[in-house]
Amino acid sequence: MRDVFARLASFGDRYRLETGLTGEGWLACDRLLDPGSDELGQVLEAERTASGQVSEHATALTVMAVYSGTVTASALLAWALQDVLVDMRPPNVAIRLSPHHGFEAVALREPEVRPGSLDTLVSWVLNEHLLPLAQAMRTRTRAGLRQLNGGVAHGCAAAFCVASRLGADVDVLHAAYRRFLAAAPVLDPLGEVVRLREGEREGLFYLRRTCCLYYTSAEAVKCSSCCLDSVEDRLAAYRRVLAAGVVPH
């Protein structure tokens, strides 16, 4: 089990999991599924303060994309690379907020790793966690459900795409993502993963078909996958990123 978590952490903070809730400031993720909970309000307020978002629904869209791309990313990568399941069901997961954009840490109450099926992975990560969270965000902020689910799709794809530029086998990750998408058809219309090569560097990149409205924040920047840019412009930008050897969010 320790080997699984160590390998996940080797790909960076996006995939790092703490085991056990030590210290203060942890929020139980199952509480976030209640649209009226104080915990969900804390998450939204932390992002609004950190990024300077102009509206409640824009804040929710940003949170959904960031949450999906960090909190559950380790479960997707563990399955893709080692064919094991990390229990990312909401009652087993807690997060600690960051004073900056995003989350400071993710922890498991019970750090259980087991063999399992793709159907179980989809159930734990999507059906029991991310999609109900999107619905709670919808109820709380009136953000559009398609846009919220677009954040889920983007975040899930990021789990595969970012690791592909950090040393993980691109063939393995690309095949795993396609299997995951086939088992989660709700995500399919919301974006597309493309495989690019520049010289000896290769990686997976995501093209969104929905917008998280981060450009309306105080930072006033668009995500690298933003659907407000043309596919051609995004591919050209991704190729420059790949050639430079950097890893965009």
Side-chain angles (χ1 to χ4, degrees), residues 113-201:
V113 175
R114 67 174 81 162
S117 69
L118 174 56
D119 287 343
T120 301
L121 176 77
V122 170
S123 178
W124 286 4
V125 171
L126 280 181
N127 299 334
E128 298 181 43
H129 198 151
L130 297 180
L131 295 178
L133 178 57
Q135 185 61 61
M137 294 274 195
R138 163 68 173 162
T139 301
R140 177 121 185 185
T141 70
R142 299 186 180 180
L145 189 58
R146 184 175 186 274
Q147 287 176 288
L148 287 162
N149 286 344
V152 173
H154 172 257
C156 289
F160 299 88
C161 293
V162 174
S164 78
R165 281 114 61 194
L166 290 171
D169 188 294
V170 180
D171 288 332
V172 169
L173 288 176
H174 198 194
Y177 175 74
R178 287 181 294 190
R179 293 199 306 275
F180 174 75
L181 193 64
V186 66
L187 305 182
D188 192 26
L190 301 171
E192 176 186 6
V193 163
V194 293
R195 184 170 179 168
L196 301 176
R197 173 182 286 275
E198 284 294 312
E200 295 187 359
R201 292 194 178 99

Side-chain angles (χ1 to χ4, degrees), residues 79-139:
W79 167 76
L81 296 184
Q82 298 184 259
D83 198 26
V84 296
L85 296 181
V86 177
D87 186 353
M88 300 301 294
R89 287 174 290 185
N92 196 44
V93 185
I95 56 172
R96 193 163 58 220
L97 298 175
S98 169
H100 309 293
H101 176 54
F103 301 98
E104 186 173 76
V106 180
L108 300 179
R109 297 181 185 278
E110 297 292 336
E112 182 179 357
V113 175
R114 67 174 81 162
S117 69
L118 174 56
D119 287 343
T120 301
L121 176 77
V122 170
S123 178
W124 286 4
V125 171
L126 280 181
N127 299 334
E128 298 181 43
H129 198 151
L130 297 180
L131 295 178
L133 178 57
Q135 185 61 61
M137 294 274 195
R138 163 68 173 162
T139 301

